Amino acid sequence: MAIGLVGKKCGMTRVFTEDGTSIPVTVIEVAPNRVTQVKTLENDGYAAIQVTIGARKRSRLTKAETGHFAKANVEPGIILQEFRVDEAKSLEGIAVGSEIKTDRFTVGQLVDVSGTSKGKGYAGVIKRHHFASQDATHGNSLSHRAPGSIGQRQTPGRVFKGKRMAGRMGNVKETILSQKVVRIDAERNLILVSGAVPGAPGSVVTIRPAVKAKKSGGDK
């Protein structure tokens, strides 16, 4: 549990190293995260900070949201995101109304990036679970992309829960682990992360310090 940043996925590009190696990166725009609430163990039962980004019309807010932002004296944002911390001392120097910027991370640091994956609609087992198709010829008729058997006979006489079948694909929260921060542009509030991250361009993503990197003791 550590404090991270909320940003918007801009898209992908590539950067070149000094030896000419091309590195594919995802560009994430991280506008200053405005702190809307600081939660403590005494008042809330756990330690955390709540942040927001962007701007939203006040006419689009509920009465509860209007009061929440007014109490913090913070401009209403498009999202509210919490970052829990293990120890209250991690919240030192962070006050309601302050901003958290890209200097929270450093070049070369490993991070975990979370976002909502692209929705693919209703998909079959070949596209959704990478099943192999059946024969295209040799007497096969109308069963080329069929899932095949989904159970046994009278025993157990039912389909087990979790069986991989056709259904909605995508549009779920996903996290990609231990991606390296390749470049940080503080002037334009941009963080370039190696590789692809979940979500469509323009979607909201969350960047946190890598959990597995901490357990292993560094970048490996």
Side-chain angles (χ1 to χ4, degrees), residues 101-131:
K101 301 182 180 180
T102 55
D103 56 5
R104 195 80 193 179
F105 297 103
T106 58
V107 176
Q109 181 179 356
L110 296 182
V111 295
D112 298 338
V113 185
S114 302
T116 303
S117 60
K118 294 180 181 179
K120 306 288 185 177
Y122 194 92
V125 292
I126 294 179
K127 181 176 181 179
R128 192 184 188 201
H129 301 297
H130 309 291
F131 281 18

Side-chain angles (χ1 to χ4, degrees), residues 148-161 163:
S149 174
I150 61 171
Q152 296 76 36
R153 294 187 179 183
Q154 184 61 42
T155 304
R158 63 188 177 89
V159 178
F160 290 123
K161 290 184 178 180
K163 184 69 176 177

